[in-house]
């Protein structure tokens, strides 16, 4: 359904029953402030009952997702019913309040973005800061919501939104309380709000798209049909009824000619999408399918016991496996598209410098090494692929890993506190009589490399061994960027050197080529002493790299494609 908000304040909260949660004692009011030229800030008020000892701690938004010091965007912080103590120099993100024991407190502040706002790491592609423009507002809860320290994440909360101009539309997963979902403080923090000059697209069964900007290769009707197909296929797989789910899509021009960026962040019952207008639809759909699958994996297949990357092989790797499988089984992907997505993960695994890192190393280096962050995705996908084949063999083709995941879902319904890894072990045993303990120890805990049988996807194709020249630009891109675009680290007598590239030239932009593809010629525009030149070369490094690749059978008939769809998609 389309929901249009006007400037009147609307309230959203879960409905408590006699057997349900207690009525919410905490309320959050979020309003868009407007001036003569348009929106100027987000005004936030948090009403809560103070701690019983007469002193409460207020945690302001600080570091999250590659951004730091979000609290620098907060202005005019004040409190009613309490004394707000001055910030301590060493902990500006934390403020103390004194008040009557258990008394009612109201904290108010405004959120703006200016030159003193949050800091963004250079490697962070997505801008997760609050954005307030004359005709547009965008906010992720982590970037602007403060939280009283004594209030638990699962405490019920009422949320009120308002202040937007009558001609504008607004969308947020904070609405989902009005649609039957009990809201807690954690939901408010993990939320997305988008409003202003946006377009709302109803995709059916509670799913909506809120779009700002336009893609080169996809219009709103195509977005609707793709999202409807992905959502319908995933809900059919999990045998779930329709429920609220929101995707916000912010589309922007590329930061430089030829650059493509796609990413976002899951919100539990929503996904905040960021993409440049030249992004490829296949890439968009793949991310969308992955993020929506998080509704079930790991959301409904058991409790995750750690948040340090140590269980991401399950939470992320299984999400990829299931999203790939549903996309192929529903016919949304062809066998070739499945192979493209699968091979990207397989090749990254085979070529990873951390391929055999044990799980302890993943945990210790998860936030500092991109290779260690990506390894659990790859490892979990391959583990699920191997287990799917083992389940089919053990059951004579009557069962597969889909049945294992659904058994985990049933187990989590019966006991929401039961760990997902325990439910996985139980389900593999009950579905196929397989003890996964040795696999968990060998491949997850110790990090031993995983073998794939050549006929893993038979009769759709084969898993083959490949080798190729490694991709190398021929110069050091990190040092070049760090020096403001001045070329550094050109490999002597390499392809870039032979094309004329030299240290000290200034990089203008890349005008051709594909990062990671050594077989495609790359081209850079450079400033050579005031003269602009375009240099081209094959970006080949030394030696060879070896990897595996799933190669679908060529020229498949319609009947063969039907069989292949069943093999790849269940």
């Amino acid at each position: 359904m389309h929901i249009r908000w006007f400037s009147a304040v609307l309230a959203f909260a879960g409905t408590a029953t006699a057997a349900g949660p207690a009525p919410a004692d905490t309320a959050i009011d979020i309003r868009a402030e407007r001036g003569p030229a348009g929106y100027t800030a987000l005004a936030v008020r948090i009403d809560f009952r103070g701690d019983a000892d007469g002193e409460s701690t207020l945690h302001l938004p600080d570091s999250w997702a590659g951004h730091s010091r979000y609290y620098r965007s907060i202005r005019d912080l004040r409190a009613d019913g309490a004394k707000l103590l001055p910030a301590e120099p060493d902990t500006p993100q934390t403020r103390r309040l004194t008040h009557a024991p258990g008394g009612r407190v109201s904290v108010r502040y405004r959120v703006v973005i200016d030159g003193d706002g949050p800091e963004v790491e250079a490697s962070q592609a997505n801008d997760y800061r609050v954005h307030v423009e004359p005709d547009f507002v965008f906010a992720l809860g982590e970037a602007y919501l403060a939280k009283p320290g004594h209030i638990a994440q699962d405490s019920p909360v009422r949320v009120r939104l308002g202040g937007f101009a009558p001609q504008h539309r607004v969308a947020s997963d904070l609405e989902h309380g009005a649609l039957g979902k009990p809201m807690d403080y954690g939901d408010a923090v993990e939320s997305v709000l988008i409003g202003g000059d946006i377009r709302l697209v109803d995709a059916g069964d509670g799913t909506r798209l809120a779009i700002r900007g336009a893609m080169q290769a996809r219009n709103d009707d195509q977005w609707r049909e793709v999202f409807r197909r992905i959502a319908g296929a995933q809900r059919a797989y999990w045998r779930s009824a329709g429920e609220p789910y929101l995707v916000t899509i912010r589309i922007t021009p590329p930061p430089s000619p030829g650059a493509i960026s796609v990413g976002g962040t899951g919100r539990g019952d929503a996904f905040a999408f960021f993409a440049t207008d030249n992004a490829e639809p296949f890439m968009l759909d793949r991310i969308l399918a992955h993020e929506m699958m998080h509704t079930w994996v790991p959301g409904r297949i058991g409790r995750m016991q750690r948040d340090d990357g140590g269980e991401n092989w399950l939470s992320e790797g299984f999400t990829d496996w299931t999203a790939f499988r549903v996309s192929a089984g529903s016919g949304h992907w062809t066998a070739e598209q499945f192979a493209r997505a699968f091979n990207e993960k397989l090749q990254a695994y085979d070529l990873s410098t951390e391929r055999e890192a044990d799980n302890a190393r993943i945990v210790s280096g998860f936030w500092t090494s991109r290779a260690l962050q990506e390894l659990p995705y790859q490892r979990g996908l391959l583990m699920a692929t191997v287990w799917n084949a083992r389940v089919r063999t053990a059951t004579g083709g009557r069962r597969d890993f889909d049945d294992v995941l659904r058994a985990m879902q049933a187990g989590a319904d019966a006991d929401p506190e039961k760990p997902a890894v325990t439910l996985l072990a139980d389900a593999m045993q009950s579905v196929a009589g397989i003890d996964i303990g040795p696999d968990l120890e060998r491949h997850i805990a110790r990090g031993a490399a995983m073998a794939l049988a050549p006929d893993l996807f038979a009769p759709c194709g084969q898993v083959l061994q490949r080798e190729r020249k490694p991709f190398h630009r021929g110069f050091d891109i990190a040092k070049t960027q760090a020096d403001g675009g001045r070329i550094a680290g050109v490999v002597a007598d390499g392809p870039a050197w032979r094309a004329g590239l030299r240290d000290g030239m200034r990089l203008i932009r890349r005008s051709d080529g594909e990062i990671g593809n050594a077989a495609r010629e790359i081209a850079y525009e450079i400033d050579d002493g005031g003269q602009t030149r375009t240099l081209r070369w094959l970006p080949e490094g030394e030696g060879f790299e070896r990897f595996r690749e799933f190669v679908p059978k060529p020229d498949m008939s319609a009947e063969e494609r039907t069989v292949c769809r069943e093999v790849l998609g269940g």
Side-chain angles (χ1 to χ4, degrees), residues 488-540:
V490 177
V491 177
D493 202 32
W497 173 279
R498 292 192 292 271
L501 191 68
R502 297 292 186 269
D503 287 350
M505 293 178 174
R506 187 167 297 278
L507 176 65
I508 299 174
R509 70 183 183 104
R510 176 171 61 87
S511 57
D512 201 357
E514 178 184 352
I515 302 302
N517 186 355
R520 178 176 169 182
E521 193 172 62
I522 200 166
Y524 284 97
E525 291 183 15
I526 57 97
D527 181 337
D528 182 7
Q531 179 183 1
T532 299
R533 303 169 59 195
T534 298
L535 304 180
R536 311 180 70 93
W537 64 88
L538 279 178
E540 295 179 339

